[in-house]
């Protein structure tokens, strides 16, 4: 059940890995942010679960930050993907 969000059902509009082909375009990098909101325990447990699933290393997430919602914290993961 916890792996259901990892399903490969989303179409990719641009390749994440580029072949070494000369097409006259230079790929650029785009920052993608993943944010987890919740209690300290909930956010930490989710980060550890995502680590166990191979999604991201624990140290790639930001330290727990105050959330705009009272009683909640958040942590941010930034990834860089190639775009055309």
């Amino acid at each position: 059940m916890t792996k259901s969000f990892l399903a490969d059902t989303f179409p990719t509009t641009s390749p994440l890995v580029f072949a070494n082909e000369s097409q006259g375009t230079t790929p650029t990098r785009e920052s993608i942010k993943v944010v987890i909101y919740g209690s300290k325990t909930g956010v930490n447990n989710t980060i550890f679960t995502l680590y166990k699933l191979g999604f991201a290393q624990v140290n790639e997430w930001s330290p727990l930050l105050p959330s705009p919602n009272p009683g909640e914290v958040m942590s941010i993961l930034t990834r860089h993907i190639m775009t055309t």
Side-chain angles (χ1 to χ4, degrees):
M1 181 171 160
T2 58
K3 292 185 181 183
S4 63
F5 67 90
L6 295 174
D8 193 17
T9 58
F10 298 104
T12 303
T13 57
S14 63
L16 298 177
V17 178
F18 292 89
N20 194 8
E21 300 172 5
S22 177
Q23 297 179 348
T25 61
T26 303
T28 58
R29 290 171 45 137
E30 177 182 350
S31 292
I32 302 297
K33 292 182 176 47
V34 179
V35 183
I36 303 172
Y37 291 94
S39 68
K40 289 181 182 181
T41 302
V43 171
N44 281 326
N45 286 347
T46 301
I47 290 170
F48 286 123
T49 299
L50 291 172
Y51 166 72
K52 289 178 187 176
L53 293 171
F55 184 76
Q57 297 292 315
V58 173
N59 64 352
E60 292 178 304
W61 292 89
S62 72
L64 296 181
L65 304 166
S67 164
N69 302 321
E72 281 189 348
V73 296
M74 65 181 183
S75 185
I76 304 167
L77 170 71
T78 302
R79 290 281 174 95
H80 301 281
I81 62 168
M82 300 299 289
T83 61
T84 55

